[in-house]
Structure formats: C-alpha cells, structure tokens
C-alpha cells in the first residue's frame, strides 16, 4: 500500500512494486525485483525501454519507449513487474531512489523487510555457518 | 469528497436485478461507514416488522469509512440485518483483505435483497455483478469455499466472504467468514445469508483509492504505527486477548460453568500464559494492522493432534471455563469446528453450557443427547455437540436456535440459567462482579455485548466500585457506547484505541485529511449518539418492549463471591436505578423510548412516524 502511494499517489496494491503472496492462510511472503544479473526482462524488451543502471544497480524504464506490450512481465520469473494501465507503461522497484531506504522497509511495523545484495546475504550465511562449526 | 464513492450497489437475488444508488455526502458524514452506515441503510431497506428469515430482510455490507488506505486497522467492514437470534438489530464487524476489496470495488455498501431459489454465489468484479451457481460449494467450510472460488475464477486477488454449513442450516448465530478466519461473528447474519441461499460473495476490487491529503494521512498513520509498537497495544501483541483469563479470574469475573461460578479453579491451564508457552505457533495480522493480535496455536499430540487454530479470549472463555473445560486441545478443536461450520463461538459455548446444566439437573437425558455424557468439563461432549449444532442434528437442532428460544421451548425453569439479554448470549464478563457491565448488557442495543457496549472498561478502570450499582453509571455507559459506535463506523479497531490522546479531536482531523469532509470533534461525538439512536429506533420499530432491557434471573438470585469472600448478586433495585439513570443520560423517556424532539435534534425525522402509536402493554406511546 505505501509503495503505490509513494510512487503513484494512490493506494492500490496493483500498482505496488512489492507484492504480498500468500502461500497458505498463515504464511505470507513479499516479492519484488531481484535485479537479476542476466536481466531477462531487459533481454525480452523489443524496444530497449528497459536499461540496467550499473551505478545504482536498478533497472530503469524509459516511459516514452515502453508500449506496455508486457514481454518483460512474461520474462520475469518472479512476477516483479506490473503494468500501469493508466500510463500504459510497466513499473518495477527502484529501491525508492532518492530516499535513504525503500519506504516499505521503513514502514513495516514488524521490521520484516530489509534490503540486501547477494554478496551480503552470502556473507551472513558464511558467518552463520562458521559460527555453527565452532 | 475523497475515499467515499457516494454510491451503493443493490442486488436483488429473487429477480437477479442490480441497481446502483447514490448516497449524499451528508448521509455519509452523518453515519461515517461501517456499523453506522449499515444500520442506517438497514433501517431504510427493511420493510417494518419483516421476519428475519424472509426474503424481505436485506443483508447490508458497509465499508469502513477509512478502508482502502494505510490508516492502521481501518480495513474493516460491517454487516447488518435484522437478527434471527434476537429479532432486533443485528450488526457485526469483520476485517482484512475482503474489506479492502469491498472499498476498492467502488461502492460504499452492498445491499442484498430477496432470496435465490437454489444455491448461488456472487462475483462482484468492480462494476460487474455475476450470479454464479453454488451447488458444488454447498456443504463446504469457508476455507474450502474460498479456495474453490479462487480457482474457479483463476485470480488470487479475488477475496471471498462466505457461510459454512451452519449458515446453510440457518443456525441462528451463524457468522459470515472472510479471509479464512475473520468473522462477522455475532447476531446471526450468516443465517440470513443461508436463508437467501447465498453461499458467498467474491470480490475483485482493483480501483485505486485517493485520499484528500496524502502527506498528512501518511504522517498520522506512521505516528499510530509507532505508538502501536509501544505499551498501548502490548497486551494484544504479546499474549493476545487470552491474557484476560487470569485477569478476570482474579477479579471474580470469569464466567464458569454457565455462570454458576465466576472463578475457574483450572484457570491457569487455559491461561494466555500457558497457551503461549506450550501451544503458540504464530501471530497473524489483518490487512494494514501493526498489532497482529491473532494468536495461532498448534496441538502437537493426542487425539486432536494436528489441530492448528486461532483462539481469542471470547472463544476461549466460551468453549473453556463456561463449559467447565480446561483441555486446551479440545477447546482448539471445538473452535476449529465452529469456524468450519461458521457459527459464533460465544453463542455456541453458551448454548452448550446451558445444555450441560440442563443435563446435570436432569432436564435432559442421555436419550435426548443421543448417548452423549453432557457434563461440565467434558471436552469430548463439547466437540461432539458443536458438530450437532452445525448440522442441526439431534440435540443440536434445539441448541441452534440460541439459549433464549431453546429455553422457552424446553421450559421447566431452564429460563433461569439461559444466559442472554434480548436473545444474545453473554460475552466473558460476569456482570455480578462488574456492575457497569451489568447495565451495559441489560440495555445493550444488540443484546449482551461487550463490543457495542464496552462498559467493562469502566469497571476495570479502578475509578468505580465494580461490585456496586449506583447513579452516574448511566452516563458512563452512554459515553462508552457512543465511543464504540464511532470506532465501529470509521472503522478503527478497538485494539488501537489507546494510541490516541484526545480521541475525538485527533480522529476528526484524520477524517478531514482522508475524506476532505469537514467534521468537528463535537459533530463526531454526536455521530456516535446518532448511530445508537437509529439502532434504538430500529429496535422499537421491530418490536422491542421496555421489559426487554433486563438481565437473566440467575444474576439476581445466584451469588458469586467478591474480593473479600462475601457473596454478592445484582439486586433488581440497583439495576432499575442504573437503567433509569441511563435512560435519563440518553435523553429518553422513563420507559426507554426516544422523544420526538430528540429524534429531530439528531436528524432522525424519518424514524418518528413508524414509532407513533406503538403499544406497550396497556399504554399507547404517543410522541
């Protein structure tokens, strides 16, 4: 909800860049863009509307080029990209560029969300593994 | 006007006609949403004196005014219909993603009129209403029904509110379940849905929701979220409402064995503390709630192994101490079955406790119970009888009508221990140890209810002598009722009520920032009063009599022991004194009727005519 209000000025989970998925009645997970290394969404775009920003490590959408054809949505294994039917272009997570941290992370009342990179995740796994061996 | 849509959807199941009607901003502001709006619409759409179980009884679903946003706990809705349990106002609240979807369909309320000839369900896809066959869903519990409908439609965003077999069988206290285990629990709206042969309402609401001042709404919401992380909601977050067991037991206010005692000697074993230590699996929140009061417990071994269900204080008290049961796995199993059948746990526990007392006093035999040893404390009997009620089989058929009807059918003085007010069974607070609550339950507009009349807060505040009924309680009860009516209409969950300082000022400001409608703190306060008066006007129109504001005989004659070990009851004189005091505080007549000028002052002119000339005993009531 805060994602859509931050990005689109309305409350609308369909326009959110992070999605709540219920595995069953008692278990939920959130899914957003994972910024894959091989970027299947960028490869799938017929108009080069998507581009990896190598400095900030996010995927940018050129709204003028995007036609809303949805190839990138089909290419994404995580369902992280959604189509904004009003602007006819796709939207995906940019980690709230310009904010100190993504708004969803900031506002989660249970601190259940955090931003991490593969390197940091692997590092902490190694740390845990090493401790458990001692 | 933001947040509100200014329109309602009226669906007639008999003719399968659908109409969109407009609502004015002044009506929306005057009743807010939720319980207030649902009651107002019910008053208009129910032909006076219709039978609760007839096609004329409309089922009204009204969205919370503030739903659809991140305002914490506001994603709720209310259901209203004439109650098949009480014959008076029936209203109940539920929450979570179905409520959010309802707001996002683009309607402030749904009104379901008429009745279908064979089982159907409705699929409301924003503006489009589909009438769908539901024979394949009939007999299923709510969880199954939700899965089936979602896979039929093929979209996980579809949210479902449905009835279980209890609603289909018109158990008079059947509920309407959404999002797996959220219930509009009390007063039997599920039976009305069952009468209409309406198995479920599936919603796909995808409209974006705009607020008047996004920045302010976010700022206030974040502030509430932060406060909700502190002591204001600690009880609900840590142990959940089961924490009440030991507190009320200490106060001699934990109804035990159908109100024969008010302390349960095995309270420790059913306490929130014990549950948390040995059974807790997970906590769950409704949509946009920072509290997460829902505590889910698991049974790891024994006959009920594998049972995993949510339990709150009211379900726990009703299926536990009230039936003398201290066996947690059995209580969890009974709660799970209640939710499968879709029946109110408080009324179910109360009906079974009443039957247990009948059995022990010899009014019911093993023949009547088909061999069940219906004694207090037997979890096996509890679990079996829940199923009989849901199926309306054997003894369950009698108990499915609620203790008021069941005891008048059985007679032989069983009315003495039929614990209800106006047909609604008591929640888990013993009025003999909480005399403000005694008044609240006696005059309660939907019967004995702690949600619409949270008078227990007065007793537990320490500001009054809770063992004494006295002047002054009337205005305290009125004030609590009006406060609850505002919360139940906005809707903001009662569990974050302590996150506000000056409630009416802060909430009136929040309402303005969200909807753009000007509302002063005093107007908001008056709204609570208006809502309770339209409920009262509804009750009077539908057959309420002055004598109905009273308590069951047991509370006057069978004592409990107070803190000092002295035995205590409620006296008729002290209750009469408090009721008169309450009527006066409300500005009602000595008989509990609403004077014409009061109705005018509250903007309820249209309820004057139906009340004129109503007979009460030998006196004709003329306004």
């Amino acid at each position: 909800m805060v994602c859509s209000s931050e990005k689109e000025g309305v409350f609308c989970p369909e326009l959110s860049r992070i999605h709540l998925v219920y595995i069953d009645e008692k278990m939920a997970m959130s899914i957003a863009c994972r910024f894959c290394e091989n970027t299947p969404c960028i490869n799938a775009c017929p108009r080069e509307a998507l581009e990896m920003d190598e400095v900030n490590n996010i995927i940018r959408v050129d709204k003028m080029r995007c036609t809303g054809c949805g190839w990138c949505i089909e290419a994404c294994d995580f369902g992280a990209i959604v189509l904004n039917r009003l602007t006819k272009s796709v939207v995906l997570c940019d980690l709230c560029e310009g904010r100190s941290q993504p708004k969803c992370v900031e506002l989660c009342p249970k601190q259940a969300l955090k931003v991490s990179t593969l390197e940091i995740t692997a590092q902490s796994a190694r740390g845990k593994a090493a401790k458990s061996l001692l | 006007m933001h947040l509100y849509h200014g329109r309602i959807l009226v669906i007639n199941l008999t003719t399968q006609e659908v109409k969109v009607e407009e609502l004015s901003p002044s009506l929306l502001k005057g009743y807010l949403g939720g319980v207030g709006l649902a009651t107002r619409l019910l008053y208009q759409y129910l032909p006076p004196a219709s039978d609760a179980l007839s096609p004329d009884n409309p089922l009204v679903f009204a969205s919370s005014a503030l739903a659809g946003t991140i305002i914490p706990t506001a994603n709720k809705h209310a259901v209203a219909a004439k109650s098949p349990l009480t014959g008076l106002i029936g209203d109940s609240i539920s929450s979570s993603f179905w409520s959010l979807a309802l707001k996002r369909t683009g309607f402030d309320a749904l009104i379901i009129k008429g009745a279908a000839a064979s089982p159907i369900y409705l699929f409301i896809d924003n503006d489009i209403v589909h009438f769908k066959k539901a024979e394949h869903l009939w007999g299923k519990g709510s969880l199954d029904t939700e899965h089936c409908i979602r896979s039929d439609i093929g979209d996980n965003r579809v949210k479902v509110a449905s009835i279980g077999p209890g609603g289909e069988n018109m158990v008079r206290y059947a509920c309407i379940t959404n999002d797996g285990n959220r219930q509009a629990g009390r007063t039997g709206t599920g039976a009305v849905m069952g009468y209409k042969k309406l198995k479920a309402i599936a919603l796909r609401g995808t409209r974006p929701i705009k607020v008047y001042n996004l920045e302010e709404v976010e700022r206030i919401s974040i502030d509430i979220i932060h406060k909700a992380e502190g002591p204001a909601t600690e009880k609900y977050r840590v142990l959940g409402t089961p924490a009440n067991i030991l507190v009320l037991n200490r106060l001699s206010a934990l109804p035990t064995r159908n109100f024969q005692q008010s302390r349960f000697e095995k309270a420790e074993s059913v306490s929130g503390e014990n549950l948390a230590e040995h059974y807790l699996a997970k906590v769950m929140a409704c949509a946009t709630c920072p509290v997460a009061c829902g505590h889910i417990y698991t049974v790891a071994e024994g006959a009920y192994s594998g049972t995993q269900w949510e339990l709150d204080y009211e379900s726990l008290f009703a299926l536990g101490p009230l039936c003398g049961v201290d066996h947690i796995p059995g209580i969890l199993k009974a709660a799970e079955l209640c939710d499968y059948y879709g029946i109110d746990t408080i009324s179910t526990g109360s009906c079974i406790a009443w039957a247990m007392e009948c059995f022990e006093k010899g009014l019911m035999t093993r023949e009547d119970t088909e061999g069940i040893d219906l004694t207090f404390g037997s979890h096996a009997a509890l679990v079996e009888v829940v199923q009989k009620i849901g199926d309306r089989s054997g003894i369950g058929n009698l108990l499915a009508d609620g203790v008021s009807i069941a005891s008048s059918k059985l007679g032989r003085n069983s009315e003495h221990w039929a614990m209800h007010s106006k047909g609604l069974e008591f929640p888990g607070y013993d009025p003999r140890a909480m005399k403000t609550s005694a008044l609240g339950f006696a005059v309660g507009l939907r019967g004995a209810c702690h949600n619409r009349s949270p008078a227990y807060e007065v007793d537990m505040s320490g500001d009054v002598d809770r063992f004494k009924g006295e002047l002054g309680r009337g205005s305290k009860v009125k004030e609590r009722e009006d406060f609850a009516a505002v919360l139940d209409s906005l809707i903001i969950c009662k569990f974050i009520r302590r996150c506000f300082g000056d409630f009416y000022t802060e909430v009136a400001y929040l309402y303005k920032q969200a909807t753009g409608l000007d509302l002063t703190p005093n107007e908001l306060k008056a709204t609570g009063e208006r809502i309770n008066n339209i409920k009262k006007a509804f009750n009077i129109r539908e057959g309420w009599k002055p004598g109905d504001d009273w308590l069951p005989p047991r509370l006057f004659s069978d004592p409990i022991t107070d803190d000092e070990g002295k035995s205590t009851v409620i006296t008729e004189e002290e209750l009469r004194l408090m009721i008169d005091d309450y009527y006066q505080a409300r500005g009602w007549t000595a008989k509990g009727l609403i004077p014409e000028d009061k109705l005018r002052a509250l903007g309820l002119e249209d309820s004057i005519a139906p009340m004129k000339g109503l007979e009460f005993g030998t006196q004709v009531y003329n306004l």
Side-chain angles (χ1 to χ4, degrees):
Chain A
M1 296 280 263
V2 288
C3 179
S4 59
S5 70
E6 173 71 15
K7 291 296 182 185
E8 309 285 344
V10 290
F11 295 108
C12 183
E14 278 76 12
L15 293 175
S16 171
R17 278 74 164 150
I18 181 166
H19 306 276
L20 185 65
V21 181
Y22 270 86
I23 297 151
D24 60 33
E25 276 67 29
K26 301 178 191 80
M27 191 58 73
M29 250 186 93
S30 64
I31 292 190
C33 179
R34 296 181 60 84
F35 309 103
C36 309
E37 287 297 318
N38 62 355
T39 59
C41 52
I42 295 178
N43 303 343
C45 179
R47 289 175 56 87
E48 293 176 1
L50 300 180
E51 186 190 26
M52 181 61 114
D53 176 339
E54 301 285 351
V55 180
N56 297 306
N57 243 328
I58 54 172
I59 295 167
R60 291 188 189 283
V61 183
D62 183 337
K63 281 189 187 163
M64 294 307 289
R65 297 190 73 86
C66 177
T67 59
C69 71
W71 276 110
C72 56
I73 297 174
E74 289 205 29
C76 178
D77 285 337
F78 301 96
I81 308 177
V82 295
L83 178 64
N84 182 336
R85 292 190 182 273
L86 294 174
T87 62
K88 311 273 190 251
S89 69
V90 297
V91 292
L92 72 165
C93 178
D94 63 356
L95 298 173
C96 284
E97 203 182 6
R99 292 181 64 92
S100 60
Q101 60 175 331
K103 194 147 181 187
C104 54
V105 176
E106 185 186 322
L107 287 194
C108 175
K110 300 295 173 197
Q111 291 87 40
L113 298 172
K114 67 172 179 181
V115 181
S116 184
T117 62
L118 292 176
E119 286 79 4
I120 290 172
T121 307
Q123 246 178 47
S124 90
R126 281 193 289 272
K128 272 187 204 157
K131 267 184 207 156
S132 72
L133 291 174
L134 285 175
Chain B
M1 182 171 67
H2 291 73
L3 256 186
Y4 289 122
H5 304 288
R7 45 182 219 155
I8 55 173
L9 187 63
V10 184
I11 300 170
N12 188 325
L13 296 180
T14 312
T15 60
Q16 301 213 340
E17 279 172 326
V18 177
K19 265 198 307 189
V20 176
E21 292 178 13
E22 288 193 6
L23 287 184
S24 70
S26 65
L27 185 107
L28 288 165
K29 199 176 109 170
Y31 293 91
L32 301 172
V35 165
L37 182 60
T39 308
R40 173 76 243 188
L41 293 171
L42 178 67
Y43 189 91
Q44 266 165 257
Y45 282 81
L46 179 92
S50 308
D51 195 333
L53 295 177
S54 77
D56 288 334
N57 192 8
L59 198 55
V60 184
F61 293 85
S63 194
S64 145
L66 305 174
T69 67
I70 58 160
I71 296 170
T73 75
N75 283 306
K76 289 180 172 276
H77 68 272
V79 191
K82 183 169 177 176
S83 166
L85 189 62
T86 66
L88 302 171
I89 181 76
D91 63 286
S92 199
I93 290 178
S94 184
S95 57
S96 213
F97 291 98
W98 193 88
S99 324
L100 177 57
L102 175 62
K103 186 68 155 195
R104 298 182 68 219
T105 55
F107 299 99
D108 295 314
L110 306 177
I111 297 179
I112 319 260
K113 305 203 303 190
S118 57
I120 61 159
Y121 79 87
L122 292 170
F123 172 38
I124 303 172
D125 190 4
N126 289 328
D127 269 349
I128 305 164
V129 180
H130 302 262
F131 294 83
K132 298 186 118 180
K133 288 204 159 104
E135 268 96 359
H136 65 299
L137 302 171
W138 211 247
K140 285 189 192 301
S142 287
L143 271 178
D144 267 358
T145 303
E146 289 189 23
H147 289 309
C148 283
I149 291 178
R150 263 196 284 277
S151 72
D152 279 358
I153 296 170
D155 187 346
N156 274 332
R157 288 176 302 175
V158 172
K159 302 300 172 197
V160 180
S162 65
I163 53 168
E168 295 169 11
N169 295 329
M170 289 181 268
V171 174
R172 285 180 189 270
Y173 41 87
C175 40
I176 301 173
T177 305
N178 59 281
D179 292 282
N181 66 350
R182 308 316 313 160
Q183 278 93 12
R186 305 224 72 192
T187 67
T189 48
V192 176
M193 199 155 149
Y195 178 86
K196 293 181 183 300
K197 292 215 163 46
L198 177 61
K199 178 68 182 174
I201 303 172
L203 301 176
R204 181 161 57 195
T206 58
R207 287 169 190 275
I209 299 294
K210 261 195 178 147
V211 291
Y212 171 70
N213 183 344
L214 181 60
E215 228 168 84
E216 269 304 88
V217 168
E218 281 196 3
R219 185 190 63 76
I220 298 165
S221 300
I222 292 166
D223 187 45
I224 298 172
I225 290 172
H226 288 321
K227 284 184 184 146
E229 287 166 355
T233 69
E234 193 177 350
K235 171 178 136 188
Y236 306 113
R237 278 183 290 126
V238 180
L239 288 179
T241 53
N244 280 350
I245 289 274
L246 291 184
V247 176
L248 289 165
N249 197 49
R250 236 180 351 258
L251 296 176
S252 191
L254 178 65
T256 302
R257 293 183 194 85
N258 198 32
F259 288 79
Q260 293 187 73
Q261 297 93 30
S262 64
R263 284 197 177 97
F264 188 42
E265 66 288 354
K266 296 168 187 158
E268 287 287 343
S269 58
V270 293
S271 65
E273 288 78 355
N274 187 42
L275 274 162
E277 201 181 327
H278 296 111
Y279 298 92
L280 186 63
K282 193 175 177 0
V283 292
M284 288 281 290
C286 293
T288 65
C289 171
V291 180
C293 71
H295 284 55
I296 294 168
Y297 306 103
T298 306
V299 181
E301 54 194 13
Y304 305 116
S305 170
T307 302
Q308 187 179 59
W309 213 247
E310 188 178 334
L311 209 52
D312 61 8
Y313 167 70
E314 292 298 337
S315 303
L316 176 58
F317 119 83
L319 300 168
L322 194 65
C323 294
V325 175
D326 70 332
H327 188 263
I328 293 288
I331 295 170
L332 274 168
K333 185 71 198 172
E336 184 190 55
L337 282 166
C338 283
D339 287 357
Y340 160 75
Y341 283 104
I343 52 178
D344 175 19
T345 47
I346 302 179
S347 292
T348 303
S350 202
C351 287
I352 295 174
W354 172 80
M356 284 174 163
E357 190 162 350
C358 292
F359 187 83
E360 292 200 345
K361 290 199 158 77
L363 272 65
M364 280 181 196
T365 62
R366 268 175 191 273
E367 212 170 291
D368 298 320
T369 63
E370 293 169 296
I372 300 173
D373 185 22
L374 198 54
T375 47
F376 281 112
S378 165
H379 61 83
L382 172 74
V383 166
E384 261 190 274
V385 178
V386 168
Q387 297 174 70
K388 285 187 180 293
I389 292 173
D391 291 328
R392 264 194 184 270
S393 73
I395 185 81
N397 194 36
L398 177 73
L399 301 180
D401 284 335
V403 291
S404 171
I405 295 176
S407 63
S408 65
K409 276 186 186 165
L410 186 71
R412 296 158 69 192
N413 200 33
S414 66
E415 296 93 341
H416 182 81
W417 59 86
M419 300 306 293
H420 69 92
S421 164
K422 301 182 196 71
L424 188 72
E425 290 79 6
F426 274 77
Y429 302 88
D430 196 310
R432 286 165 293 192
M434 303 177 99
K435 298 255 165 102
T436 324
S437 297
L439 171 62
F441 294 148
V443 299
L445 294 162
R446 72 168 188 176
C449 173
H450 64 298
N451 281 322
R452 301 296 175 268
S453 180
Y456 62 89
E457 287 185 333
V458 179
D459 293 313
M460 292 175 86
S461 67
D463 299 341
V464 298
D465 178 354
R466 59 190 171 84
F467 286 102
K468 193 174 169 205
E470 59 191 357
L471 287 178
R473 302 296 171 90
S475 59
K476 286 192 159 67
V477 168
K478 170 193 180 288
E479 189 248 328
R480 290 286 91 190
E481 285 178 344
D482 291 349
F483 173 64
V486 169
L487 282 177
D488 293 341
S489 304
L490 281 166
I491 305 169
I492 292 174
C493 181
K494 296 197 178 68
F495 291 180
I496 63 161
R497 65 189 183 278
R498 294 194 191 97
C499 294
F500 298 95
D502 182 352
F503 175 82
Y504 288 107
T505 307
E506 288 173 29
V507 170
Y509 178 74
L510 171 60
Y511 182 86
K512 159 79 186 183
Q513 300 310 313
T515 65
L517 297 171
D518 287 310
L519 183 72
T520 66
N522 280 339
E523 277 177 320
L524 185 62
K525 223 173 185 171
T527 302
E529 192 178 6
R530 181 180 305 113
I531 292 164
N532 282 321
N533 276 274
I534 186 85
K535 282 186 167 187
K536 179 73 178 186
F538 179 90
N539 280 354
I540 293 171
R541 194 186 79 181
E542 298 304 315
W544 170 90
K545 299 277 179 293
D548 293 346
D549 282 357
W550 204 239
L551 293 170
R554 158 155 291 165
L555 300 174
F556 302 109
S557 60
D558 302 3
I560 57 165
T561 48
D562 68 10
D563 288 347
E564 288 147 13
K566 278 195 304 206
S567 60
T568 179
V569 289
I570 299 169
T571 66
E572 297 201 4
E573 297 71 40
E574 68 179 341
L575 183 62
R576 188 73 260 160
L577 178 85
M578 288 196 292
I579 291 177
D580 291 344
D581 187 37
Y582 169 82
Y583 288 162
Q584 204 171 3
R586 278 247 169 257
W588 293 348
T589 69
K591 282 199 173 300
L593 300 163
I594 318 173
E596 195 171 328
D597 54 352
K598 183 83 192 168
L599 289 168
R600 277 188 210 289
L602 291 165
L604 300 173
E605 289 83 356
D606 63 336
S607 58
I608 295 169
M611 246 188 273
K612 282 202 171 178
L614 283 176
E615 278 187 43
F616 289 101
T618 52
Q619 260 188 320
V620 174
Y621 175 56
N622 274 315
L623 288 152

